Amino acid sequence: MKKAITEQEAYLQLAALCAQAEHCQQEMRDKMRRWELDETAQNRIVARLVKERYIDDERYARAFVKEKIRYNKWGRRKVQQALWLKHIDSEIQQRVLDEIDEKEYLDVLRPLLKQKRKSIRAMSDYELRQKLVRFALGRGFGFDIIRQCLDVDDIDIDEEDED
C-alpha cells in the first residue's frame, strides 16, 4: 500500500521541482491529484508556491512559447492551444503571444517550408502550394503568414530537386 504524502512533503517536493524548471499551476495540481491530496490542501500549496514565486504562469507561458516556437517549430495557433490545455489564463496567453517577434516567427517558418518542399512530390505548382499550406497549418501557423512566405518566393516553387 502506498504511503500518503503530507501537505508539507508535497510542498517541499513541488518547490524543489519548480526550482529546477518552469512549471504552471495546472501541472502542480495534476501532480498533487495523482498523490491524492485533497482539494483544500492543493489550493493552500499552490497559493504558497505562487506567493513565494516558485510558480508564475506568465513567466511559464513566456518560456513555453519561446521553446515551442524556436525548438519545436510550432505556430501561434498550436502554441495557444497547448497553453489553453495547461489552463493558462487567456489574458496571459494573449499578452505573451503578442510579444512574439515577427521576424523570428518568419525565420522559423521559412526554413521549415523550404525543408518540406524537398520532400513533397506534386504534379503542379498548385498542388505543391496546397501541400505546403496544409503542412504549415498543421504546425499551427496562420494562413496569412504562410501565404506571405510563399508569395515572397522564399520558397522557390519552380525549383527542381537538386539530389
Side-chain angles (χ1 to χ4, degrees), residues 95-157:
R95 210 173 20 248
V96 171
L97 289 169
D98 287 344
E99 293 173 3
I100 297 171
D101 180 46
E102 271 317 298
K103 184 190 177 314
E104 183 181 344
Y105 196 57
L106 284 168
D107 290 346
V108 167
L109 181 57
R110 282 187 185 116
L112 203 58
L113 289 172
K114 283 184 180 178
Q115 188 64 36
K116 185 65 178 173
R117 162 63 187 98
K118 294 175 185 173
S119 67
I120 292 179
R121 299 287 173 240
M123 300 301 243
S124 66
D125 287 351
Y126 177 78
E127 185 182 353
L128 174 65
R129 287 177 73 87
Q130 293 304 313
K131 288 182 177 185
L132 287 171
V133 167
R134 216 170 306 126
F135 167 75
L137 286 171
R139 281 296 187 109
F141 291 92
F143 188 72
D144 289 342
I145 197 161
I146 297 168
R147 198 173 64 224
Q148 182 182 342
C149 282
L150 291 176
D151 288 348
V152 172
D153 284 331
D154 285 334
I155 315 307
D156 188 2
I157 299 295

Side-chain angles (χ1 to χ4, degrees), residues 16-27:
L17 197 63
C18 291
Q20 293 172 0
E22 287 293 340
H23 293 281
C24 65
Q25 290 184 33
Q26 187 61 39
E27 290 173 340

Side-chain angles (χ1 to χ4, degrees), residues 5-54:
I5 189 168
T6 67
E7 188 172 330
Q8 182 62 18
E9 289 171 335
Y11 166 76
L12 292 173
Q13 284 187 25
L14 294 177
L17 197 63
C18 291
Q20 293 172 0
E22 287 293 340
H23 293 281
C24 65
Q25 290 184 33
Q26 187 61 39
E27 290 173 340
M28 298 300 101
R29 287 184 189 283
D30 290 345
K31 192 167 279 299
M32 288 186 283
R33 239 178 252 117
R34 284 193 299 274
W35 294 339
E36 298 174 357
L37 249 68
D38 67 275
E39 194 77 29
T40 56
Q42 288 181 30
N43 291 336
R44 283 193 301 268
I45 292 170
V46 167
R48 186 173 172 193
L49 289 169
V50 168
K51 181 178 174 241
E52 295 174 5
R53 304 219 2 102
Y54 282 107

